[in-house]
Amino acid sequence: MNQNQHQQASDGRHDDDAALSDFLASLMDYTPTIPDELVEHYLAKSGFQCPDVRLIRLVAVATQKFVSEVASDALQQCKARQAAVVKDKRDKQQKDKRLILTMEDLSRSLRELSIVFY
């Protein structure tokens, strides 16, 4: 690696460090959907303790994103399932357009996400 490439790599790392520091600082002003106390409780149950609120909130944000992805995917499963039912029973189902989320929809969503993560 020549001097110019080494300098660019060092600058890139510095930019990444600065962005991470800014992000962690912004977590202090953020109120997550999942309360800090709940995250701390489940982390403690798993044997993890950390006095840093930023880390607790980072776990809360990651958990919130995961739950959001599961719910969004389950909604898509529900819509697909109900669209198939509407094709079979056009007249009766046309009047009732409510979506009914089932455990089957949620299970499929979780199965698909587990394949992505593993």
Side-chain angles (χ1 to χ4, degrees), residues 27-34 57 64:
L27 287 174
M28 291 302 294
D29 299 328
Y30 177 71
T31 304
T33 303
I34 301 169
R57 292 197 178 151
Q64 181 178 336

Side-chain angles (χ1 to χ4, degrees), residues 6 11 14-15 24 33 39 44 47-48 52 54 59 62-63 65-66 71 73-74 88 105 107-108 111 115:
H6 182 68
D11 289 345
H14 177 69
D15 291 344
L24 288 174
T33 303
V39 175
F48 183 84
D52 192 347
R54 297 172 303 171
V59 171
T63 303
K65 176 157 178 28
F66 176 75
D73 193 55
D88 294 339
D105 300 325
S107 295
R108 283 185 181 160
R111 262 194 309 273
I115 291 170

Side-chain angles (χ1 to χ4, degrees), residues 88-103:
D88 294 339
K89 301 176 182 178
R90 288 251 186 234
D91 298 331
K92 292 180 183 177
Q93 290 289 329
Q94 285 289 341
K95 295 176 185 174
D96 189 14
K97 293 191 178 198
R98 293 179 301 164
L99 296 175
I100 301 169
L101 187 65
T102 65
M103 284 301 292

